Amino acid sequence: MIDSPQQIGPIGVFDSGYGGLTILDKIRQELPEYDYLYLGDNARTPYGNRSFEVVYNYTLQCVTKLFEQGCHLVILACNTASAKALRTIQQNDLPKLDSTRRVLGVIRPTAEIIGEITQSRNVGILATEGTIQSQSYVLEIGKLFPDITVIGEACPMWVPLIENNEHLSDGADYFVKKHLQHILNNSPKIDTIILGCTHYPLLMPKIEKNIPANIRIISQGEIVARSLHHYLNRHPEIEKKCSKNGIAHFLTTESSEKFKSSASIFLKQTINVQHLTIN
Ligand code: DGL
């Protein structure tokens, strides 16, 4: 059981590192009145090449911490965690921890909108190895739009480039080009590419430079923000437990100073960060 008596609290937003900031940014634009508590597990990032069991354990620890800090609703702003941990947390852990709290992911809302976008019915997914291996996008899109072919491409170097603030360097071009060429050479019918990792929008300038103009690139921030908005409208029992002062606080399992300087590049604002120890 969760030891947190607060009746209301911020909406928790979790990622393995900085990537979830791309989601939080859009959520705050869509829903500015709420409070947010962001947790980046920067000390243990990246999650993308870790086993199912490790990603699940790390994610559960982080969700539990966010619950203890008073969050009643947590968004896994991480595809890898959504792919490997969300279902087990929802089905097995929430009933034991606190059945009134909620955890949502980013894959289902992305899958839901894709049918309206692709004309060729061939969609590419760029994501971490973990997300691609889990087949989560293939399964989720297949349930909703069985006529769509989903082609996955793992980009294992992209998250480390971003976490190390090298994503705009000349060296990053090589890794961006390599995966875009590979997926388009293998599947020339693709007309839509989903950035299935919340870190990847930070590589957008390089992605746009290396892709034909007729291919749509979908990043998840606005999709997840709109989906959360609808969720809160549909679930007043959860909405009333979300505090509303328009404030965001940030937690990191790494050094707070390091997080502050990198996150302010991504968010273009100075933020309030505290270190959190997870054992
Ligand atoms: N932002 C995470 C995702 O969406 C990155 C995972 C990682 O740490 O490798 O998948």
Side-chain angles (χ1 to χ4, degrees), residues 67-93:
F67 285 166
E68 286 167 2
Q69 302 278 329
C71 301
H72 290 265
L73 171 64
V74 172
I75 313 297
L76 301 185
C78 175
N79 288 271
T80 312
S82 300
K84 292 190 162 184
L86 179 64
R87 184 159 305 205
T88 314
I89 291 177
Q90 286 174 331
Q91 292 178 356
N92 296 356
D93 298 296

Side-chain angles (χ1 to χ4, degrees), residues 17 116 130 155:
E116 296 153 27
C155 311

Side-chain angles (χ1 to χ4, degrees), residues 15-20 44-49 77-81 106 127-128 131 159-160 163 196-200 220:
D15 183 46
S16 63
Y18 300 115
R44 303 188 292 194
T45 197
Y47 281 14
N49 48 4
C78 175
N79 288 271
T80 312
V106 289
T128 65
T131 300
V159 169
E163 286 290 316
C197 170
T198 56
H199 282 67
Y200 294 177
Q220 299 172 292

